[in-house]
Amino acid sequence: MPRVLHLLLRASLAPVLLGLTLLANSGQSHSPSGVLQLFAVSLFISLGFLLFGDQRFAAPTKETRAST
């Protein structure tokens, strides 16, 4: 199961990177404030992966397996 979650995390990263690429190519980001906004969003995403990307879900206990 952790392998599936790892693949889902990587699959969710692709649309984010595509969105950042499209935002970087827009005319709105070719100003100083646009560059700052793009940097802030990228920094927020990067820090999120660095700080919380190593967290794992707890393995289900025998009680939760029996109830399902």
Side-chain angles (χ1 to χ4, degrees):
M1 186 69 156
R3 184 171 174 89
V4 173
L5 293 175
H6 187 69
L7 290 174
L8 286 174
L9 178 65
R10 287 186 180 223
S12 66
L13 184 60
V16 170
L17 292 176
L18 179 65
L20 286 173
T21 304
L22 292 174
L23 182 62
N25 286 331
S26 71
Q28 195 176 18
S29 68
H30 291 251
S31 66
S33 64
V35 171
L36 185 62
Q37 289 174 356
L38 186 62
F39 173 74
V41 170
S42 299
L43 183 65
F44 177 75
I45 292 170
S46 298
L47 287 176
F49 276 105
L50 287 174
L51 295 175
F52 303 110
D54 210 19
Q55 292 184 355
R56 303 282 185 248
F57 291 105
T61 60
K62 291 180 181 178
E63 294 173 3
T64 57
R65 287 182 187 171
S67 65
T68 57

